[in-house]
């Protein structure tokens, strides 16, 4: 290779300066980075028709100090009341805090913050110390008609807690991140909602030391946002972890919840099974802070047995074969793998680049065996559970994969994927720095509609010149799965991006996918809700909204489409 | 044995005469019988201090022709309208039909019908032909404020469809029992709600012939009422089958539903996973006909693989050991058994009599090994699923049982139990014929409260002289199980029985059990609902009721406690 070909863009390597826009929109650890590798960089240049020169200068980095033009809409008296309720130190009104605790991780926000555009900051940021604080705040805001936006880890990609109408950003993760009760008999833990993934998982893995427990446990929930999302956010937005095919979605993992709502406070039951009418515990899940504030949750625990884990990867000749095998695995009743992920041909090709397989001797061998680029599909997975169970799952996976023409790639790609499972989002800033947009949309789907949805959405995205569209399915059920679309294009105009995104959402809806599989709805997908659910189902959600929050102070301004005008 | 000891009561062996009370309250097949065996008969004489003479004459057999004193409260015009809507042949107004389609299978009803006491018969019995009929009926009843009581298989033990306020008994099982769609790709079936267990299961077991399917399937739901209960009833009252520990409760099995409510008609989604707000599909489950009429349901199917089934039975030295082992099995993550049932010492003793083990050489051997009567506890179970999975479950069950001091009794008792799984209710009429009451109440419970609940309820029941109380747990989850109390006493006074039953329900509530695990609430448990759920959760259910059924025409008069005055 010549020296010229070895050009590497000056990917950012410094933590953002404090107080800047960049410090808000940057993903994760301020000092954490993961840059595109050489093969991915080459791919981008190729697909986007860019040259090294296009990567010479970073653009709109958002290194300016945050300023908001928007005046605080609350009165001094109201702000003073909050200070009296929770203590001086737990109330912030400076521009930085107001913007920081309003901003999530949507592409739209990143694009706008890079340009110094601030929309709808909170009027005040309040850090409640306990549920009594939350009760006082909710009661007062109800009286005063002040909007409340519960904020957990800050990782929403749907404007979940965006302070559309100003008001209070209620930060649950500052203080309300404690353990209330660890119950080894029931295999449950009760926590406050503000606890983030790593703290939650670490104490469970170390339960013998932390709780004097007999065993080690796991929460079983590992979304990509794991390191920067909270238990409360997982529940409120109905998250699914990367091992959900075994452990279940957050919907399944939550045994009971405690809420403070404008209509009053309550805790649901811990019974694992009941027949006492519609389950209020389930009614509250996914309510995205629009019915009340989640102040406590009891979650099911699982035994931490990584020593039993089996990892595997297979390459299928076609997407159809990969889907058929995944369906057989999901319906075969031999137990579900935990990580379970099939990539379509375009994602497979990028994946083989990222995992360092493309272009190697192994790759040549694979191609010779008939697994061709832009046809072949990667499946990676791993198992959990008791040793014999885990082995039996892996054994049956192998049987099914062979039956559908797959070749084993060993556990190596699965390990590589595991290694990067939480760090891929770090690449977004690098791409954005050079005007490349990367975003995702995802959808739940039944088996019989999978190809229709995949082809429909992909066809639309690929109709745009020089646009990458990678798709995988990564959460499996006997009746279907999800499709996760990742799209990249050279694009940094906000309006252009929003129109493109809206069109993709239209395509998902039109092709019969659910509006969201595990990102939630927030205010981003809200305009599609009425059409998607239909007026009858929307009316049910609205009836509950009126019941819990008659004055619409809980996460108002679009959440779940509850307070949007009905579609024409 | 002397001749005298061989006296056998003249258990009824003839089908009830048509048109009689007995033909209504008798369980199951009119010509089907299962009588107490010799050992059980001896036990009753012993415990209840009865002699053969007490079994000489059957009492209050209900062989009289049904008559209702209650006039039809609807106008001729209203009845005529129903006839025009659904056809002459689908509307009944005779006393027998009115009483038959109001009566469920509670002990209270059986006692009263034996005495010729008829309460709250329907004014009219309507058999809708399709969902359009249901839409017309619901709309008309809404306008005219006529109560509607959806009736499925008729097996409710909680006054689920009891026509407390007269009106229409809407019989779903006569015509609305068809298959709408069989979908092998998704492994689902969509049916009308009136289909009964055997028809449902049989067509799934024979899917290759019936649907030209590639495989055989099972619905996985086998409540004791299987032969005389409907899919709609299972969903509406949140049933659990005897293999629920593997297949899940009906709550888990229902993928989507279609409803006709006074507020309008709708169908929920088939997506196996979504994050689009609270799930309306789940909100409707367990609504017991109080929000609307279920007119269709899509259910998850499972592969029918009885060839992989492993059966086992173990005897534990104590109830504590049985419970500890059951918890370890439920939390061990090696896969769950399907049938999974542990009996407390009193039930174990009766069970060993019924299964023909007590008093045999085997029993002597068992006693010598230290498994003592009124201490030892029986566990029976069987597995489902893929062959390796099934074997691994059985292997681990064996490991756990041995670790907790159990001895294997082979698969024989499990086979014996299987054989009688649907026929035990037939014995009720025999017992009632001689003035012996038998009834059940059941409750969901977390592991850490199991012994407290068991001891509390048992202590109360056993405080009554000459009363049998048998308890088992038969639906298992990692976080807990259910307790099923069966109680027998010489008692045929309705008031005395109702006071006794109310006291037991009080004890369940007081000791922290759920008000119902899988029988539903109906109008029987309704008075306890407000106290049990608390006003906040009750208000949520009431808000939904107001939304769907503002004029309270859907199953009014107590269902779920929705229209009862709040407790003091």
């Amino acid at each position: 290779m010549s020296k010229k070909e070895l050009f590497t863009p000056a990917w950012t390597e410094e933590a953002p300066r404090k107080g800047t826009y960049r410090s808000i929109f940057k993903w994760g650890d301020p000092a954490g980075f993961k840059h595109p590798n050489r093969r991915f960089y080459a791919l981008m240049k190729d697909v986007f028709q860019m040259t090294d020169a296009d990567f010479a200068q970073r653009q709109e980095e958002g290194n300016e100090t945050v300023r908001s033009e928007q005046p605080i809409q609350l009165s001094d008296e109201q702000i003073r009341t909050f200070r009296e309720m929770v203590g001086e130190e737990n109330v912030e009104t400076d521009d930085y805090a107001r913007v920081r605790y309003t901003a999530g991780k949507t592409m739209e926000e990143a694009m706008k913050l890079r340009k110094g555009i601030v929309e709808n900051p909170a009027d005040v940021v309040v850090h409640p110390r306990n549920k009594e604080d939350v009760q006082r705040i909710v009661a007062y805001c109800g009286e005063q008609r002040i909007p409340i936006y519960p904020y957990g880890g800050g990782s929403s990609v749907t404007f979940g807690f965006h302070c559309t109408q100003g008001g209070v950003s209620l930060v649950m993760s500052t203080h309300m991140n404690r353990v209330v009760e660890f119950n080894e008999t029931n295999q449950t833990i009760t926590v406050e909602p503000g606890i983030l993934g790593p703290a939650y998982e670490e104490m469970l893995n170390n339960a013998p030391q932390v709780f004097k427990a007999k065993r080690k446990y796991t929460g079983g929930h590992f979304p990509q946002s794991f390191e920067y999302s909270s238990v409360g956010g997982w529940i409120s937005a109905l998250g699914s972890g990367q091992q959900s095919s075994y452990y279940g979605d957050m919907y399944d993992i939550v045994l009971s919840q405690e809420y403070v709502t404008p209509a009053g406070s309550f805790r649901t039951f811990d019974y694992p099974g009941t027949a006492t009418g519609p389950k209020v515990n389930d009614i509250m899940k996914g309510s995205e802070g629009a019915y009340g504030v989640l102040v406590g949750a009891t979650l099911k625990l699982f035994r931490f047995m990584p020593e039993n884990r089996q990892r595997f990867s297979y390459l299928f000749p076609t997407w159809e074969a990969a889907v058929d095998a995944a369906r057989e695995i999901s319906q075969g009743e031999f137990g579900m793998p935990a990580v379970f992920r099939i990539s379509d041909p375009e994602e497979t090709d990028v994946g083989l680049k990222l995992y360092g397989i493309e272009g190697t001797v192994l790759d040549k061998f694979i191609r010779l065996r008939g697994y061709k680029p832009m046809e072949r599909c990667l499946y990676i997975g791993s198992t959990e559970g008791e040793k014999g169970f885990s082995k039996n799952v892996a054994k049956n996976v192998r049987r099914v994969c062979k039956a559908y023409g797959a070749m084993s790639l060993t556990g190596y790609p699965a390990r590589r994927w595991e290694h990067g499972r939480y760090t891929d989002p770090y690449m977004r800033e690098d791409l954005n720095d050079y005007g490349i947009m990367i975003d995702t949309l995802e959808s739940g789907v039944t088996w019989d509609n999978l190809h229709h949805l995949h082809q429909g959405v992909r066809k639309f995205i690929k109709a745009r010149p020089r646009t990458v569209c990678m798709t995988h399915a990564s959460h499996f059920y006997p009746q279907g799965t999800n499709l996760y679309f990742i799209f990249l294009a050279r694009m940094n105009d906000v309006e252009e991006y929003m129109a493109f995104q809206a069109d993709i959402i239209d395509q998902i809806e039109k092709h019969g996918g659910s509006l969201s599989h595990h990102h939630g709805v927030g205010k981003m997908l809200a305009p599609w809700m009425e059409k998607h659910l239909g007026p009858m189902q929307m009316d049910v959600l609205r009836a509950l909204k009126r019941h819990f929050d008659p004055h619409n102070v809980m996460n108002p301004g679009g959440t779940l489409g509850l307070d949007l005008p009905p579609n024409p």
Side-chain angles (χ1 to χ4, degrees), chain A residues 57-273:
Chain A
Q57 187 60 50
R58 298 196 295 261
Q59 309 160 21
E60 297 180 332
E61 292 178 80
N63 286 326
E64 305 76 22
T65 299
V66 170
R67 275 209 55 199
S68 170
E69 306 283 323
Q70 317 243 15
I72 292 176
Q73 297 166 59
L74 299 182
S75 69
D76 291 349
E77 165 68 21
Q78 287 171 324
I79 303 283
R80 193 160 53 240
T81 305
F82 288 121
R83 291 193 200 278
E84 283 161 11
M85 279 181 188
V86 301
E88 289 283 340
E89 68 284 12
N90 290 316
V91 175
E92 297 178 278
T93 54
D94 61 283
D95 281 0
Y96 185 76
R98 290 172 61 204
V99 175
R100 177 184 166 195
Y101 289 112
T102 294
K105 296 295 173 194
T106 63
M107 187 71 249
E108 182 184 336
E109 287 166 292
M111 282 180 164
K112 286 182 176 168
L113 288 171
R114 279 177 178 269
K115 295 175 202 294
I117 301 170
V118 164
E119 283 169 338
N120 318 312
D123 290 314
V124 59
V125 177
V126 178
H127 305 262
R129 297 161 303 183
N130 49 47
K131 75 178 167 198
E132 290 73 22
D133 276 355
V134 176
Q135 283 170 329
R136 280 187 287 267
I137 292 163
V138 169
Y140 180 69
C141 288
E143 276 168 37
Q144 302 275 316
R145 310 287 192 266
I146 301 171
I148 306 173
Y149 297 91
Y151 178 105
S155 68
S156 172
V157 288
T158 63
F159 292 100
F161 46 77
H162 191 77
C163 304
T164 318
Q165 303 180 359
V168 176
S169 176
L170 193 72
V171 183
M172 305 304 288
S173 41
T174 311
H175 304 299
M176 292 188 66
N177 51 21
R178 291 158 294 210
V179 174
V180 178
E181 191 202 349
F182 174 82
N183 187 324
E184 190 163 22
T185 307
N186 293 346
Q187 259 188 219
T188 57
I189 191 165
T190 305
V191 293
E192 291 177 323
I195 190 165
L196 300 193
Y200 180 68
E201 185 65 14
E202 201 183 319
M203 71 184 177
L204 295 175
N205 292 173
N206 296 295
Q209 294 80 33
V210 179
F211 302 114
K212 302 197 197 319
K214 290 189 194 121
R215 295 175 185 275
K216 298 174 176 186
Y217 294 94
T218 173
H221 189 73
F222 308 97
Q224 195 176 48
S225 63
F226 177 75
E227 296 174 282
Y228 298 95
S229 57
S230 68
V231 167
W234 300 344
I235 297 169
S236 300
L238 296 182
S240 301
Q242 290 167 342
Q243 287 162 240
S244 74
S245 300
Y246 176 78
Y247 289 113
D249 299 322
M250 189 41 61
Y251 195 85
D252 310 304
I253 295 173
V254 187
L255 193 61
S256 67
Q257 300 166 82
E258 186 170 2
Y259 277 90
V260 173
T261 81
S265 301
F266 63 99
R267 189 185 181 296
T268 66
F269 292 131
D270 278 355
Y271 304 121

